[in-house]
Amino acid sequence: MSDSRIQNAALRGKIMAADDAAAFINPGDNVGVSGFTGSGHPKAVPQALARRIAAAAGRGETFRVGVWTGASTSPELDGALFKVNGVSMRLPYQSDPDCRNRINAGEANYTDVHLSHVAQNAAWGHYGKLGVALIEVVAILEDGRLVPSTSIGNNPTWLDLADRVILEVNAAQSARLEGMHDIYSVALPPRRQPIPLAAPADRIGDPYLRVDPKKVVAVVETDCFDRDNKFSAPDENSRLIAGHILDFLQYEVKKGRIPPTLLPLQSGVGNIANAVMAGLDDGPFNDLTAYTEVLQDGMLDMIRSGKLVCASATAVSLSARALGDLFANIDEYRKSIILRPQEVSNHPEIIRRLGTISMNGMLEADIYGNVNSTHVLGSKMMNGLGGSGDFARNAYLSIFMTPSTAKNGALSCIVPMVSHVDHTEHDVQVLVTEHGLADLRGLAPRQRARLVIDRCADPRFRPALDDYLARAEKSANGKQTPHLLGEAFDWHLRALRGEAM
Amino acid sequence: MSDSRIQNAALRGKIMAADDAAAFINPGDNVGVSGFTGSGHPKAVPQALARRIAAAAGRGETFRVGVWTGASTSPELDGALFKVNGVSMRLPYQSDPDCRNRINAGEANYTDVHLSHVAQNAAWGHYGKLGVALIEVVAILEDGRLVPSTSIGNNPTWLDLADRVILEVNAAQSARLEGMHDIYSVALPPRRQPIPLAAPADRIGDPYLRVDPKKVVAVVETDCFDRDNKFSAPDENSRLIAGHILDFLQYEVKKGRIPPTLLPLQSGVGNIANAVMAGLDDGPFNDLTAYTEVLQDGMLDMIRSGKLVCASATAVSLSARALGDLFANIDEYRKSIILRPQEVSNHPEIIRRLGTISMNGMLEADIYGNVNSTHVLGSKMMNGLGGSGDFARNAYLSIFMTPSTAKNGALSCIVPMVSHVDHTEHDVQVLVTEHGLADLRGLAPRQRARLVIDRCADPRFRPALDDYLARAEKSANGKQTPHLLGEAFDWHLRALRGEAM
């Protein structure tokens, strides 16, 4: 397939096996890899690198690298490298079990960053030097331009910053992805200019990635599909949460605060998010748009049904079934899907301008509306912040949603005080559980608490939350945000002892 | 003075005494007032309103209003109205003792909002209906256009949204402020366009406020100076903090990460901020610019000395001495000072584009770099968030600074876990105390903790912080952000008992 997929003669001369390519990665290198929520990540070289690392370990040598990605990847990348404990530092988002375990065992440093900040922070040198860029593409044109894959993430930045570049050309990805991407690079201060994007469908860049061919040390051919991002059918709680959000959006439209076509949608990943999309697909709104991070099955369904006229994202993260549909009908889908660098898909300037309706999951919220998206019981990292902060802070509506309880009802997801804060009371406007929706806009903390307990908490936990609030209002040192610091975490301490909250 | 200051005949016909104007404000009204950090607030009508409210109370009637401002005001406004308990709801920032006491007694609702969010939230109706706009101006032109005063804040929004408008024309403010302002209004989604501002000196609007003359119910003449925003001479700690920041900025310039003219400066209010400005005024950097919220004495000194070539803000908040200097030399100062609506001075789009160097004070930080700017010991409101979040989240550098201890060394401003989070680990890059500076960029939480303890904590508290961290690393349920939830607030609980931390 080299002939059709790798048109550039010089780069065709660099084709080699994954194990030979991995030899260009040295101990201590930082490696900037492609990949965003299980799509568009390199499939072969990371596993070859893991073999090198294991071999070095066999010789008693330490071989570890820093791994910078777009977001989460897959077993072939994070899984393979963390299994051999080959990663010293990882950023900015992960969801692989081996990766998570190393982080929480204290065996790897994990820097959790707003996804929109990664590219500029790397360019400013905050993360050190980037040795290697390892990027999956679907084709290399004759003039050396690169056709991006199913995600873009930080690829333009990695290609710019790296000393050496390794390209994986994946024949399993449709070559007709060509033209779906819009690569726009944001300058660094003091040379930044307004980003000329005023609607999700606007194209402001060009469809190809560019790389200095002299930096390319290896080209590796692969033929392997993205991770099968399966979804379970929406459960009852997800359907109830979706229903509350739809009712609320209808109310906002009725009030004239948002147009009948709504405002651009941003939706986090996961089953609840997918259920909300399913609800919107059956709902009363038409000509919808999305300005989001990841396009999942739910949004693809909405494009197919005609409900969603345009979706801008940085990655398509689909089930195998949906990916097959995307590739089979890609000339149609290309009219409605734009993939951008994550610095643009998550850019505060654009999100604030468009006024997105942002819907993100969470681990827990407290009665005052602070949200914990990342840390289980205060200390243990789950997946990371992702883009939730980029969107929540600048959206027209920042909605956070979760079932009201976890662990078969033993744990309340509404607590007196969250054990870690990722989104402050200032950035959380709406909380939703299966029991209801709390619209916190414009309310003072004690008003928020009343609403969060009555609308969102599981009824079995409401009396205890009421009791905490009532006693805090009586005895706290100030009544703006009454807390009892001596027992604010008692609920989490019970959970840590394996008891119900 | 009416002839010179109030040129519009129709509005001249509306001139009346403050007590008569206050009669247009009814119980239950929301009142949008001008005023930002003690400058440009109405001086007469609020006190007249307070008299009405007291009289109503004398008759056993309840008379309370909602008060929406730019930021903090003064004794003539917050002081007068809160003394008579006449305010049911206040937003978005305050610093008056009577106001703070009512809030912490639970007698008034206080909604603490990012300053850049206030105008759009009000326009979207999140705060309810705006009955009255009460705005200080320095003159009314023949065609009815208004010359703004020493602050702009949310005035354009209040004038647009209010049913009725009361204008105070203050003869004590220089009429030659005319031309210093740049009023640009940001549309609401889905009609928002890029804001065409790419440098602090760019003028994108027009120098006047506009109001529908039919809405103006009263014009009141005043002759009263702004609050005298006195500063104490920088103390030793402030000078040390300023020194650490200057050394750090020189290092960043040497590394080539920022130009020798730095990037636009944002500085919070207060003595430490002023000390940093004094340090910069004596420092090695030239042709500096500022894109900030409030212009204080320190920046005025830098403009006079020629160090600062342009300062963009939404308010000048000066000592009486400095205000005299501003007015005496205003034709010179007007070349270098631009006052904008706070929606623009604090806009995330602009701050991210310019890449400001943001320096803000705080109450406490924890070892992982989370910052509490608002709540004393978790529950008690101090002043509010102000614009610190608008800037910290989008700045090139977000620096938070405080002396390492409070209450004569009894309390540590570096604690195991902050009792309230206003700025998360994701948005805090640099912490500074008199002992040193911790550059947290790119570090994982445990690396941050090491640096915060060693560089910023007072040596007397370091052993206890080391002990907490060491035991947390051993026994927490995860090593990403190790905490001991059972004792995370023991330091605050000791302080609540009146003991040393």
Side-chain angles (χ1 to χ4, degrees), chain B residues 139-273:
Chain B
I140 301 174
L141 303 186
E142 191 164 10
D143 61 10
R145 285 177 302 165
L146 310 172
V147 180
S149 184
T150 43
S151 71
I152 294 179
N154 294 308
N155 295 354
T157 303
W158 301 161
L159 290 168
D160 284 349
L161 295 180
D163 291 338
R164 310 182 291 290
V165 173
I166 300 171
L167 300 172
E168 284 195 9
V169 183
N170 187 351
Q173 306 279 28
S174 169
R176 303 189 58 76
L177 283 161
E178 183 172 0
M180 186 176 276
H181 312 88
D182 187 61
I183 311 297
Y184 174 90
S185 76
V186 182
L188 294 181
R191 294 181 314 286
R192 270 192 189 147
Q193 294 297 317
I195 301 174
L197 193 160
D202 290 351
R203 288 185 172 273
I204 60 177
D206 111 37
Y208 303 102
L209 292 165
R210 288 153 196 281
V211 61
D212 172 0
K214 294 190 297 300
K215 294 203 303 185
V216 179
V217 294
V219 176
V220 174
E221 296 174 304
T222 64
D223 191 352
C224 174
F225 283 107
D226 284 337
R227 188 178 72 195
D228 180 3
N229 296 293
K230 283 205 190 63
F231 293 101
S232 44
D235 62 9
E236 179 61 9
N237 279 347
S238 303
R239 274 195 301 275
L240 288 166
I241 289 169
H244 297 312
I245 292 175
L246 256 76
D247 292 345
F248 176 69
L249 293 177
Q250 283 183 270
Y251 178 78
E252 286 288 296
V253 169
K254 190 153 145 268
K255 282 283 197 177
R257 285 197 279 255
I258 49 178
T261 54
L262 304 183
L263 287 162
L265 304 167
Q266 176 260 328
S267 168
V269 296
N271 289 322
I272 297 180

Side-chain angles (χ1 to χ4, degrees), chain B residues 324-343:
Chain B
D325 172 38
L326 175 73
F327 289 165
N329 305 285
I330 192 155
D331 293 336
E332 266 313 299
Y333 282 119
R334 203 190 298 103
K335 297 173 187 165
S336 338
I337 298 173
I338 303 178
L339 298 183
R340 312 178 187 275
Q342 75 191 61
E343 187 173 22

Side-chain angles (χ1 to χ4, degrees), chain B residues 115-136:
Chain B
L115 295 188
S116 79
H117 286 185
V118 177
Q120 70 178 23
N121 289 356
W124 279 324
H126 298 176
Y127 305 137
K129 206 165 163 314
L130 186 63
V132 180
L134 171 54
I135 309 295
E136 175 177 284

